[in-house]
Amino acid sequence: MNKGNYIFRITSVVTLPEIFEKDFLYPENIRLYLPESKKKFPLDVGSFAFKRRRYCAIKDGNRDIPYMVDPDSLLPHRRIFIKKLFAYIVTKGFNHNSIVGLIGKVRTALNTVDEYGYDDFLRSETLTQEIYNKISAEIKNKLHLNSITPRKAQIVQSDLRTLIVISC
């Protein structure tokens, strides 16, 4: 389990048109509401800026709360990534359900990067490529040890490539 001083941060809920119209100074505090998607509550894309974040499940499922984060784990280069993610979403013209899928891929990829402990992923193109190669080698090793399936390895690498495409 992640150690840290987890808090609920104050967030702003924005809609798709707002990410097109505004430049956010603190993207780490943004949650994206997509009313035409199957999601009932806003997606906490701002939590991606933190290395340590924790989903909080509510038993009744009727409360809208952001992820808990450790404020000391904020990675400034991920703030830039969130802005690039917004630009990517706007320029591609995705529908709401496609955006939900994309954000899921991004979350999974960042979880993988964080699990491996590579804070510098997305800091620069050179570091990102080096780290991608290291994670790929580790995945290949896990495949040889039969600790992950070929399909799982394929999904992890695909999700990581999605991050790289967005960040370029």
Side-chain angles (χ1 to χ4, degrees), residues 29-51:
N29 294 327
I30 299 298
R31 291 187 301 143
L32 181 60
Y33 180 56
L34 302 167
E36 295 172 25
S37 75
K38 298 173 188 171
K39 291 292 184 181
K40 184 176 179 181
F41 298 118
L43 301 168
D44 192 351
V45 293
S47 68
F48 297 162
F50 298 88
K51 179 178 179 168

Side-chain angles (χ1 to χ4, degrees), residues 133-153:
N133 291 339
K134 288 178 184 179
I135 292 174
S136 294
E138 291 182 44
I139 290 170
K140 185 176 181 180
N141 185 48
K142 285 183 176 185
L143 272 171
H144 288 299
L145 297 172
N146 290 322
S147 61
I148 63 170
T149 64
R151 179 68 182 138
K152 174 67 176 173

